[in-house]
Amino acid sequence: MKIQRIDHVGVVVNDLEAAKAFFLDFGLEMLGEAEVEGEWAERIIGLTDVRETVVMFGMPDGETKLELVKFHTPSSEKGIQPSLNTLGITHIAFAVEDIEGIVAKMKKKGTETVGEIQQYKDSYKLCFVRGPEGIILELAEKLK
């Protein structure tokens, strides 16, 4: 028995169209979209009256995927927007090339940076950006 890889990361959003546009602009490929409901979904998720839209995105490396989920029912009672010191999972990190170019492109689309592009020792340039629904991405460019 062994772990093979991370298959996907799931992110629950309210504004699915804005989140889809954000990740398409970022450069991910939409693999599919489906409506999910019924007893089997309720048994997996542990909720009742489940009706959701699921959108799957592929990474350029073809390995890991990103899943966006919009719950139509039941709705979340909390509208929490995480910060980088919030307990739990706070961000998704992407290895990128040309971090300055990516950040400039994202800013033109209205994405805000959490801080600034900074260099970590002689190994990485790093920057955090905030997308729709408070989703935080870490961009990491490995230095030669």
Side-chain angles (χ1 to χ4, degrees):
M1 181 169 94
K2 70 176 186 171
I3 296 172
Q4 297 175 334
R5 69 182 184 286
I6 293 177
D7 182 76
H8 71 274
V9 174
V11 179
V12 176
V13 299
N14 281 319
D15 189 342
L16 185 59
E17 292 306 312
K20 280 172 35 178
F22 175 76
F23 284 106
L24 287 169
D25 286 342
F26 183 56
L28 303 188
E29 175 187 357
M30 194 166 114
L31 302 175
E33 182 171 334
E35 300 297 316
V36 178
E37 61 186 323
E39 183 181 338
W40 72 272
E42 293 172 2
R43 292 179 67 174
I44 292 169
I45 298 170
L47 297 171
T48 57
D49 193 29
V50 170
R51 189 172 67 81
E52 62 186 6
T53 303
V54 176
V55 179
M56 195 65 76
F57 286 91
M59 303 296 156
D61 69 5
E63 290 290 320
T64 307
K65 294 177 277 305
L66 175 72
E67 175 187 58
L68 297 179
V69 180
K70 161 66 176 157
F71 278 90
H72 304 286
T73 59
S75 64
S76 173
E77 297 167 6
K78 300 177 182 177
I80 298 171
Q81 189 173 60
S83 63
L84 287 165
N85 65 346
T86 302
L87 295 177
I89 297 172
T90 61
H91 67 280
I92 305 168
F94 289 88
V96 301
E97 294 177 9
D98 186 19
I99 194 169
E100 287 89 357
I102 291 172
V103 169
K105 174 186 168 189
M106 294 178 82
K107 281 184 172 182
K108 284 182 184 175
K109 295 280 187 172
T111 301
E112 65 182 64
T113 58
V114 176
E116 303 172 4
I117 297 173
Q118 291 292 301
Q119 185 167 322
Y120 175 72
K121 299 186 180 182
D122 291 331
S123 56
Y124 285 96
K125 286 184 184 177
L126 303 168
C127 185
F128 289 92
V129 298
R130 185 184 301 276
E133 309 276 343
I135 297 168
I136 299 173
L137 304 183
E138 178 182 4
L139 309 179
E141 180 180 345
K142 187 166 181 66
L143 300 173
K144 312 282 188 257

